[in-house]
């Protein structure tokens, strides 16, 4: 299953390589990592991941992950937003890399985060504009699922399950989603 503990941390200052120590800078906020040498404060924030949810050949497209975390589980096409890239562009780029499909975004579905996971997931609804299905290096399979036959138990991340639930409710309102989802 997905790693559920935030894994982002650091021991050394990115400015001067001094030692970072947690210090309470402001009441009510978590301790911040402060450099004992130069005073630099390293703020730890969730990492933005963009993903797309869309139907193609009458099925919702999921990719089976070939890498950790959640190796072997289903996920939405998506990945980390690069610095200098918009979240929307990242969703389009990652979908092309992982599925070979050219998509156009039709709107934001929602933003998902759990507080126990380092990822902030931004999910766009999309349509397929072109391209040809081609499996990317980080996936072992491309799957298409009817909305009533989604593999809820094999979805790798809680946030992805929540996004799929919202997508089905919005675009296939007559399909019942499981209670756990
Ligand atoms: Zn420093």
């Amino acid at each position: 299953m997905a790693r559920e503990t935030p894994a982002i941390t650091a021991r050394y200052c990115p400015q001067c390589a001094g030692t970072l120590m947690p210090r309470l800078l402001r009441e009510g906020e978590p301790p911040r990592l402060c450099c004992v040498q130069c005073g630099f404060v390293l703020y730890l924030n969730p990492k933005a991941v963009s993903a797309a949810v869309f139907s193609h050949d009458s099925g919702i497209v999921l990719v089976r992950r070939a890498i950790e975390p959640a190796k072997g589980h289903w996920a939405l096409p998506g990945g980390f937003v690069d610095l200098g890239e918009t979240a929307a562009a990242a969703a389009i780029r990652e979908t092309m890399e992982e599925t070979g499909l050219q998509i156009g975004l039709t709107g934001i579905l929602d933003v998902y985060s759990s507080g126990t996971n380092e990822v902030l997931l931004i999910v766009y609804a999309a349509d397929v504009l072109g391209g040809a299905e081609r499996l990317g290096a980080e996936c072992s399979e491309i799957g298409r699922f009817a909305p009533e036959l989604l593999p809820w138990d094999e979805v790798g991340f809680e946030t992805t399950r929540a996004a799929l639930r919202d997508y089905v409710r919005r675009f296939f309102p007559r399909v019942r989603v499981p209670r756990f989802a």
Side-chain angles (χ1 to χ4, degrees):
M1 278 303 287
R3 184 174 57 210
E4 292 295 351
T5 310
I8 304 172
T9 189
R11 294 168 63 195
Y12 300 108
C13 174
Q15 305 280 65
C16 79
T19 301
L20 294 171
M21 294 289 285
R23 280 180 53 198
L24 196 64
L25 296 183
R26 201 172 290 182
E27 205 59 52
E29 291 188 2
R32 308 294 183 186
L33 290 174
C34 301
C35 177
V36 298
Q37 208 159 277
C38 76
F40 179 81
V41 182
L42 182 70
Y43 289 93
L44 299 177
N45 307 103
K47 294 184 78 114
V49 168
S50 271
V53 56
F54 54 90
S55 295
H56 184 236
D57 289 345
S58 62
I60 297 169
V61 173
L62 299 177
V63 291
R64 197 189 282 278
R65 293 177 59 82
I67 55 168
E68 296 291 355
K71 184 178 176 180
H73 289 78
W74 292 105
L76 293 170
F80 289 108
V81 181
D82 287 325
L83 266 185
E85 180 182 48
T86 65
I92 293 168
R93 172 182 57 76
E94 289 280 352
T95 299
M96 173 55 78
E97 285 174 16
E98 293 182 349
T99 68
L101 296 171
Q102 179 71 47
I103 56 165
L105 307 182
T106 57
I108 188 113
L109 186 66
D110 211 334
V111 175
Y112 303 86
S113 62
S114 75
T116 56
N117 188 298
E118 71 198 43
V119 163
L120 179 82
L121 178 66
I122 304 153
V123 181
Y124 295 92
D127 286 329
V128 175
L129 303 178
E133 223 171 79
R134 174 176 39 80
L135 191 61
E138 296 177 354
C139 313
S140 60
E141 186 182 353
I142 297 171
R144 285 182 300 279
F145 298 92
E148 46 279 293
L149 295 174
L150 281 163
W152 296 103
D153 292 332
E154 291 179 67
V155 172
F157 304 99
E158 212 52 57
T159 45
T160 303
R161 220 190 312 267
L164 281 169
R165 175 201 60 200
D166 291 348
Y167 182 73
V168 172
R169 282 182 178 158
R170 189 183 299 181
F171 292 91
F172 306 94
R174 295 160 83 160
V175 174
R176 205 184 131 271
V177 292
R179 185 185 292 261
F180 67 83

